[in-house]
Amino acid sequence: MRPNFENTAIAFELKSDSQLERAYFLFRMIANEPLVRIGSAVTNFALKAHLPVEGLIRATVFDHFCGGVNEKDCLSVIDNMYSKGVHSILDYSAEGKEVDNQFDFAVQKTLEILDFVKEKDAMPFAVFKPTGFGRFKLYEKKSAGQPLDEKETAEWSRIVDRYEKVCKKAHALGVALLIDAEESWMQDAADDLALDMMRKYNKESTIVYNTFQMYRWDRMDYLKKLNALAKEEGFKVGAKVVRGAYMEKENDRAHEKGYESPICKSKQETDENFDAAITFGMQHLDRITLFAGTHNEKSCLMLVDLMEQHQLEPSNTNIWFGQLFGMSDHITYNLAQEGYNVVKYVPYGPVKDVMPYLIRRAEENTSVAGQTSRELALLQKERKRRKLDS
């Protein structure tokens, strides 16, 4: 049955009145672009100057968009969502680390989460970012095909070892592992590593998933190429399909350096590219396991309709829907209500370390036309239903 994304009673059932009011307040703030930019700058300054703002951040934006400061902290959030049929992915969201001991710490975190996931039905996936395991500049150099010196070669070997360590453990435990995508100019090296891991660990079932940012016009060709390789070599493709998260940065860099932007010319082209990837995945479910990471209602309903056309049950384990914690609850919970496999990305980590993620999230929301106004309209509808808007 088609989910009803207008059903706010289901969408916000887990939110208390005060949590609903906080969400409404936050999205009203996010709707104001100048305010977001000023707020981001002030927050960054306050944290760097060690001003006592962590408590305020924790009580507002952090608790809305994050599960907690550590795994244990997130458990009640995970269990709460699972009571409504919504799964979780714990995403350790500390960003911008640049040295080996921090990369090793990120690996250790991922290994711990794999053990955690194995014990909990509510958590079907683990996840990591390529730059969580190694320096951005090194991925960039490798992607550009530039030779590495002796020191860099050793450093790259350590990155490969980190990938190997987590993918090997995920395979041994039978736990699926998502690898996030990042900026295009470092992504080729990350793609090659993900492909090596799929070749090795996706022979019987889909363990390793790479992420395809469909705002890039070249990704559809890459997905087709990967599918052809998988057919030829006998492995499965884990495809997490998203629209993308670095658009302004991508366009600015292309303009500055004088090359053609890798980003689709328009929002419509991006939407068409995303839907084409979903359709292609559905046509090759014998080899492709599909994770549709999207807050777009049309794309979600299109995938629901495709599943029906292919006579697939909502619970088919080759297809997952995913949204971010704190956003698009009307999609997540109404899909879960109809029995679809749906998961929330639950960021967590120390407040200070997670702030770059939160600031990016707020800035993205202001730049996605209609996203914030849709959230606000649904929150307002639920406030009216609960008679909170008097």
Side-chain angles (χ1 to χ4, degrees):
M1 194 173 144
R2 244 180 165 222
N4 172 16
F5 293 150
E6 295 298 326
N7 190 329
T8 60
I10 287 172
F12 302 118
E13 191 179 351
L14 292 180
K15 285 199 188 316
S16 66
D17 288 354
S18 62
Q19 287 171 327
L20 192 76
E21 292 289 56
R22 180 183 66 192
Y24 184 64
F25 167 77
L26 279 174
F27 279 106
R28 278 181 66 189
M29 301 293 268
I30 288 168
N32 188 326
E33 193 171 343
L35 207 58
V36 168
R37 298 207 181 281
I38 293 163
S40 299
V42 169
T43 304
N44 264 333
F45 170 77
L47 286 168
K48 280 176 184 161
H50 303 291
L51 298 177
V53 292
E54 284 202 13
L56 176 64
I57 293 165
R58 177 82 211 250
T60 52
V61 64
F62 184 91
D63 278 355
H64 181 80
F65 289 110
C66 300
V69 295
N70 55 42
E71 295 91 342
K72 196 177 170 192
D73 215 12
C74 297
L75 278 175
S76 61
V77 171
I78 291 165
D79 290 341
N80 215 14
M81 290 198 291
Y82 195 53
S83 72
K84 302 298 173 192
V86 175
H87 298 79
S88 297
I89 298 171
L90 270 186
D91 184 13
Y92 187 71
S93 294
E95 296 191 354
K97 306 301 184 186
E98 282 289 310
V99 293
D100 263 4
N101 65 344
Q102 289 167 328
F103 299 139
D104 291 334
F105 178 75
V107 170
Q108 199 48 47
K109 273 276 166 222
T110 311
L111 294 171
E112 284 168 20
I113 289 170
L114 283 166
D115 282 326
F116 205 47
V117 168
K118 182 65 182 168
E119 298 306 313
K120 249 182 138 39
D121 291 340
M123 295 169 59
F125 299 92
V127 64
F128 71 89
K129 274 178 74 138
T131 53
F133 285 8
R135 275 190 314 121
F136 185 98
K137 289 284 183 194
L138 196 59
Y139 283 100
E140 184 182 354
K141 198 168 180 181
K142 190 86 175 158
S143 295
Q146 294 169 1
L148 306 183
D149 64 27
E150 195 178 332
K151 191 179 170 193
E152 288 168 334
T153 301
E155 192 183 345
W156 183 253
S157 291
R158 291 196 292 278
I159 293 174
V160 175
D161 287 346
R162 291 179 189 119
Y163 269 70
E164 179 67 43
K165 193 182 272 189
V166 295
C167 291
K168 185 177 182 180
K169 178 153 188 172
H171 181 259
L173 294 174
V175 171
L177 183 64
L178 301 167
I179 305 175
D180 283 341
E182 300 187 58
E183 290 89 340
S184 62
W185 59 96
M186 62 72 69
Q187 190 59 43
D188 283 357
D191 284 343
D192 290 345
L193 275 176
L195 173 57
D196 287 346
M197 297 301 131
M198 282 190 211
R199 281 180 164 132
K200 197 164 183 178
Y201 295 113
N202 284 11
K203 286 184 176 138
E204 303 90 28
S205 61
T206 312
I207 297 294
V208 180
Y209 288 67
N210 199 8
T211 300
F212 299 78
Q213 298 189 102
M214 301 312 296
Y215 67 178
R216 283 180 59 177
W217 47 261
D218 65 343
R219 292 293 86 182
M220 194 62 224
D221 286 341
Y222 181 62
L223 180 57
K224 286 177 177 173
K225 179 184 147 190
L226 214 53
N227 181 60
L229 270 177
K231 184 179 181 182
E232 194 183 307
E233 298 178 22
F235 65 90
K236 294 182 185 295
V237 175
K240 180 186 161 201
V241 182
V242 301
R243 276 171 170 78
Y246 304 93
M247 188 167 73
E248 284 177 21
K249 199 190 270 191
E250 291 280 1
N251 284 330
D252 288 349
R253 186 179 191 269
H255 179 71
E256 183 193 314
K257 295 195 175 284
Y259 61 84
E260 184 187 2
S261 172
I263 305 300
C264 291
K265 296 274 189 292
S266 67
K267 169 79 165 66
Q268 187 184 336
E269 273 184 39
T270 297
D271 290 343
E272 286 167 2
N273 216 24
F274 182 93
D275 291 349
I278 294 295
T279 305
F280 183 80
M282 288 296 291
Q283 289 163 348
H284 297 91
L285 275 186
D286 54 330
R287 262 184 312 282
I288 294 176
T289 307
L290 204 52
F291 183 113
T294 180
H295 295 189
N296 185 291
E297 293 168 32
K298 281 185 183 170
S299 293
C300 289
L301 291 174
M302 188 196 87
L303 183 48
V304 164
D305 291 343
L306 281 171
M307 289 176 73
E308 209 165 281
Q309 285 165 29
H310 287 263
Q311 298 181 314
L312 299 174
E313 289 295 315
S315 58
N316 187 294
T317 52
N318 280 325
I319 300 152
W320 286 83
F321 295 80
Q323 288 83 44
L324 294 165
F325 186 69
M327 289 169 64
S328 299
D329 287 346
H330 64 296
I331 294 176
T332 309
Y333 289 94
N334 283 302
L335 279 169
Q337 177 74 10
E338 299 302 333
Y340 291 91
N341 294 318
V342 63
V343 68
K344 281 286 200 194
Y345 250 71
V346 182
Y348 77 102
V351 175
K352 191 175 178 181
D353 290 347
V354 175
M355 276 319 293
Y357 165 86
L358 289 171
I359 287 167
R360 200 172 75 237
R361 195 87 295 140
E363 287 172 350
E364 272 169 33
N365 266 307
T366 61
S367 66
V368 177
Q371 175 79 47
T372 302
S373 56
R374 179 69 168 138
E375 297 274 3
L376 271 172
L378 290 158
L379 288 160
Q380 177 64 343
K381 184 179 174 184
E382 180 61 8
R383 288 173 79 239
K384 269 188 180 158
R385 196 189 71 83
R386 295 190 194 184
K387 300 182 172 56
L388 299 176
D389 66 339
S390 49

